[in-house]
Amino acid sequence: MRGAAAIAVAAVVCALALPARADDVEPVYGWDDRPARPADPDEWSPDIQPAPYFETWDMWFWADDGTFILVQFLTSSFGYGIERQGSGRLIIVSPDGANTAAGAPGVAVGDRGFDWDDNDWGWDPDRVSIQWIDCYFRGEDGHYETFIRGRDRTAWAELRFDLEEPMYRPGDGRLEYGWDRHLFFEQQAMPRFSFEGRVNRKANREAPDDWQPLTGRGYAEHTLTNGYPFDVAASFAGFRALRTDGLSIVFDSVTAPLENGGRTIGWATVALDGARLFEATDVSFTPTDVRTWDGAGTPYAVPWGYEITATSGEDWLRVVVGDGEMVSAESPFARVSAFLRAVLSAMMAPYDFEMSVGYTAWVHIDGHTAQVSGRGWSTLNFTR
């Protein structure tokens, strides 16, 4: 699970954890050790599990005019009498508005909370159509749409998108943890789509509407786990470069908890004009510029720069990332009630970072190497 909406997310290393003995390490299976199977759009519908349960739908949109939009939905059951909660989050960043302050000029933020007991959210069992009060994510046959507004009615987004690259799932899509394989984490991605729609940003709820039309490209992913975020990851990391020339470079990874060995498990794809040219689950993620971020009194080791490598047979990918510009740094607890925050703070201290980054990438396919550079997007999520 990933994304600022997800209460899914973790420290690169849990500072208080002791190194596990080799005979205490529980294995992680999947992505690179079982036969792959095609992504299934029907699996983007909710798949409710007994508590604990976390499921996310995260979408990143880059508009042609430089505007950036982040839309995230989460459904979850924590147990302890806190069942089937939901949340939504929206960030709209003007072309010249990226910085760390959520309320700064050029950055509009909206969030929502939803309660199953109040009939705040539900879905159509026959197709992908999920409703959170007046917010939604729905679609079929490669055509999707989402709508979200913040509770203070100052940030809105209404967006429709069409897949330009087939959905992707790493391996068979599932990581399984421990000798009994009972705990799992699943992931599927829409690696690239084109979108059109509009956003509305207002200084306050009494201000007149100011809907602005937008077009561009984007990326989305769906995750599901039957455990707490810190059960399946110490951290999540993602990189996307969805270029205007049709080239897409996408990377995602999960760093397992120390009790599961602490290794990084991930995948990478390269596509051109919707045709996938490269995919790999033999990947590495190496931080090169780690800075301490002290969010709400808890220090996080945040990679502002890193190197990604991925290999598949004789083909390979290398991406060097740096020159980061922080767009959002926030605890997901900022979006939940004081009661829920008090309960969860005893278990975890998650934090989410969204960052615009520079990159240089080398892609080697069929004996030929190409080099490209530009601006991409880095997502880093910590669970403790």
Side-chain angles (χ1 to χ4, degrees), residues 207-368:
D209 287 341
D210 185 22
W211 288 100
Q212 299 294 323
L214 295 172
T215 60
R217 59 203 182 279
Y219 169 90
E221 66 183 30
H222 171 239
T223 68
L224 170 68
T225 183
N226 64 343
Y228 292 108
F230 54 77
D231 288 331
V232 298
S235 62
F236 299 89
F239 169 81
R240 300 86 174 78
L242 306 182
R243 296 167 56 89
T244 56
D245 60 9
L247 183 69
S248 297
I249 302 171
V250 175
F251 166 84
D252 253 326
S253 72
V254 175
T255 298
L258 290 180
E259 55 266 31
N260 295 103
R263 72 184 178 103
T264 296
I265 306 159
W267 57 270
T269 63
V270 178
L272 180 63
D273 296 331
R276 195 167 297 132
L277 307 177
F278 173 87
E279 58 185 271
T281 53
D282 181 4
V283 303
S284 68
F285 176 86
T286 305
T288 57
D289 179 10
V290 178
R291 307 180 193 179
T292 299
W293 184 281
D294 192 357
T298 300
Y300 300 89
V302 181
W304 287 63
Y306 49 85
E307 182 171 327
I308 298 163
T309 61
T311 59
S312 177
E314 298 297 317
D315 298 337
W316 52 265
L317 166 70
R318 178 182 176 221
V319 185
V320 175
V321 175
D323 190 22
E325 180 181 48
M326 189 69 72
V327 173
S328 173
E330 184 185 70
S331 167
F333 289 171
R335 302 185 294 280
V336 301
S337 68
F339 169 73
L340 186 55
R341 186 161 54 247
V343 172
L344 298 177
S345 295
M347 304 166 59
M348 51 183 153
Y351 225 81
D352 301 333
F353 299 90
E354 298 282 344
M355 196 181 307
S356 173
V357 293
Y359 72 90
T360 300
W362 295 262
V363 183
H364 181 86
I365 298 175
D366 293 335
H368 302 281

Side-chain angles (χ1 to χ4, degrees), residues 61-140:
F61 301 84
W62 293 267
D64 295 329
D65 71 349
T67 300
F68 170 75
I69 307 118
L70 173 68
V71 176
Q72 298 175 313
F73 294 109
L74 163 72
T75 59
S76 62
S77 284
F78 296 90
Y80 308 101
I82 307 171
E83 306 298 335
R84 298 195 182 183
Q85 303 295 301
S87 69
R89 186 190 189 202
L90 168 66
I91 296 177
I92 305 170
V93 184
S94 298
D96 57 352
N99 58 50
T100 59
V107 180
V109 177
D111 57 73
R112 302 286 295 277
F114 312 106
D115 192 330
W116 177 269
D117 291 339
D118 293 335
N119 298 312
D120 285 350
W121 63 275
W123 69 95
D124 186 333
D126 298 322
R127 65 190 185 101
V128 179
S129 181
I130 315 160
Q131 191 92 15
W132 295 270
I133 307 181
D134 58 345
C135 306
Y136 57 78
F137 169 67
R138 62 196 183 201
E140 56 189 344

Side-chain angles (χ1 to χ4, degrees), residues 196-217:
E196 64 177 8
R198 57 181 188 162
V199 295
N200 185 8
R201 291 166 288 185
K202 305 197 297 182
N204 55 67
R205 63 186 303 159
E206 287 75 30
D209 287 341
D210 185 22
W211 288 100
Q212 299 294 323
L214 295 172
T215 60
R217 59 203 182 279

Side-chain angles (χ1 to χ4, degrees), residues 127-183:
R127 65 190 185 101
V128 179
S129 181
I130 315 160
Q131 191 92 15
W132 295 270
I133 307 181
D134 58 345
C135 306
Y136 57 78
F137 169 67
R138 62 196 183 201
E140 56 189 344
D141 299 328
H143 308 288
Y144 297 87
E145 58 184 4
T146 190
F147 173 82
I148 184 171
R149 71 165 177 86
R151 58 186 164 184
D152 61 358
R153 297 178 179 267
T154 60
W156 317 59
E158 183 179 45
L159 305 162
R160 298 168 298 279
F161 49 101
D162 302 310
L163 298 190
E164 292 187 339
E165 181 182 337
M167 286 187 179
Y168 179 76
R169 100 163 75 221
D172 73 344
R174 175 179 285 212
L175 299 179
E176 295 176 339
Y177 296 73
W179 298 110
D180 63 3
R181 301 185 183 224
H182 172 71
L183 179 66

